Amino acid sequence: MKIISQNTAFGGMQGVYSHPSDACKCDMTFAVFVPPQAVSQPCPVLWYLSGLTCTHQNVMDKGEYRRLAAELGLVIVCPDTSPRGDEVADEATNWQMGKGAGFYLDATQQPWAENYQMYTYITQELPALIGEQFRVDMSRQGIFGHSMGGHGAMTIALKTPDRFKSCSAFAPIVEPTTADWSAPALEKYLGSDQSTWRLYDACALVKDGAHFPEFLIDQGKADNFLDSGLRPWLFEQAIEGKDIALTLRLHERYDHSYFFISTFMDDHLRWHAERLA
């Protein structure tokens, strides 16, 4: 593991690191904020998955999480959104596909399958590295994310409910199999058999029997992507009659940006901290 940068913040340490990934077959970069409590004891881990076009850097610069994470004693891990490098397949003119748009899945189609193994990277390889290199309590993990990262957080929680104690999302893509900006990517990554797409769709997973106790979703009503890509009401419909609790909060005037995310970041951190205590 290579240290790219380390900066003291609110008594803790914000670091950026890179390492050679076996899953993605390239160097991967990630950020970790370690709170001051980790000096004396292992701390719970909260994973933040970023959205389309983003890297680990966006939430570091604009997410405004460190002050409260330090107070609550939360380790915040922020992975990248896709593999990177000159040899990694990409569609340079398509922001919804390729670098920055990994959709947190394991691709099966060429040329994507060679590097785009983000589900394995997020659920297996990176957690093993975090557990080895940082003072963390891996028995207390939560996960949240924004947009494509909200999709990733919800699907990962639904598929690995024994690992995570909490899950929330900002403006998640809840049904990517039918959304304008994600269905084409799923076909390129996974092929034309849409039954395989259901493994990476929160609504489909719930309909197929997956379970997670509860979710918190915040959504801006002025979000340009609300009706064409996000549609949180579809998840509300999918869990009807299921033993799954949902707190869905719709906010007037808020859009899809980090102005929205930073406004409600404290609410999410406190919500997770209560469940990771």
Side-chain angles (χ1 to χ4, degrees):
M1 189 177 76
K2 177 183 177 182
I3 299 173
I4 296 176
S5 65
Q6 288 183 322
N7 300 94
T8 300
F10 299 99
M13 180 68 72
Q14 177 67 71
V16 178
Y17 310 91
S18 68
H19 72 114
S21 167
D22 291 334
C24 297
K25 296 181 175 61
C26 64
D27 285 346
M28 294 293 288
T29 302
F30 62 96
V32 181
F33 176 73
V34 179
Q37 293 88 335
V39 171
S40 59
Q41 63 187 17
C43 293
V45 183
L46 183 54
W47 297 80
Y48 178 86
L49 305 185
S50 293
L52 282 160
T53 76
C54 292
T55 69
H56 65 282
Q57 193 75 37
N58 298 76
V59 69
M60 277 182 56
D61 291 347
K62 298 179 284 188
E64 301 182 19
Y65 59 84
R66 279 175 288 269
R67 178 194 57 79
L68 189 57
E71 176 185 323
L72 298 172
L74 296 174
V75 173
I76 310 293
V77 180
C78 307
D80 200 350
T81 51
S82 75
R84 306 278 177 176
D86 294 340
E87 305 303 317
V88 173
D90 190 25
E91 289 188 3
T93 59
N94 182 3
W95 63 276
Q96 298 168 333
M97 186 69 196
K99 295 177 189 177
F103 281 94
Y104 302 102
L105 53 74
D106 282 350
T108 59
Q109 305 299 301
Q110 296 300 331
W112 313 103
E114 180 68 18
N115 302 104
Y116 286 78
Q117 302 296 312
M118 288 299 295
Y119 182 82
T120 294
Y121 178 70
I122 295 295
T123 61
Q124 297 181 32
E125 185 174 16
L126 188 55
L129 183 65
I130 297 298
E132 292 170 359
Q133 298 291 332
F134 298 89
R135 185 171 286 177
V136 292
D137 182 354
M138 298 300 277
S139 70
R140 294 186 291 161
Q141 295 186 69
I143 190 167
F144 68 148
H146 171 230
S147 192
M148 179 185 72
H151 137 78
M154 293 176 70
T155 56
I156 288 172
L158 284 163
K159 292 168 73 171
T160 54
D162 294 338
R163 174 175 295 182
F164 297 99
K165 296 183 179 297
S166 58
C167 180
S168 71
F170 301 100
I173 309 171
V174 300
E175 193 175 85
T177 57
T178 62
D180 292 346
W181 62 348
S182 50
L186 294 186
E187 182 168 10
K188 292 176 182 178
Y189 283 134
L190 301 172
S192 59
D193 181 1
Q194 296 191 14
S195 66
T196 64
W197 303 8
R198 298 178 70 83
L199 297 173
Y200 302 102
D201 182 303
C203 289
L205 284 167
V206 167
K207 293 174 184 177
D208 292 344
H211 179 267
F212 196 79
E214 59 178 337
F215 294 90
L216 167 65
I217 295 177
D218 275 311
Q219 174 66 61
K221 295 178 73 173
D223 191 319
N224 290 336
F225 304 110
L226 179 58
D227 294 325
S228 62
L230 306 175
R231 306 168 297 166
W233 51 84
L234 296 180
F235 190 70
E236 194 172 34
Q237 295 167 10
I239 65 171
E240 187 173 351
K242 311 281 188 182
D243 185 23
I244 298 175
L246 171 64
T247 301
L248 173 59
R249 309 191 304 181
L250 303 177
H251 303 280
E252 297 286 349
R253 304 191 309 277
Y254 283 95
D255 57 20
H256 199 67
S257 71
Y258 268 89
F259 294 106
F260 157 63
I261 297 169
S262 62
T263 300
F264 300 102
M265 178 63 78
D266 281 8
D267 290 352
H268 283 245
L269 294 180
R270 293 189 187 280
W271 193 84
H272 284 278
E274 289 176 1
R275 286 148 183 81
L276 298 176

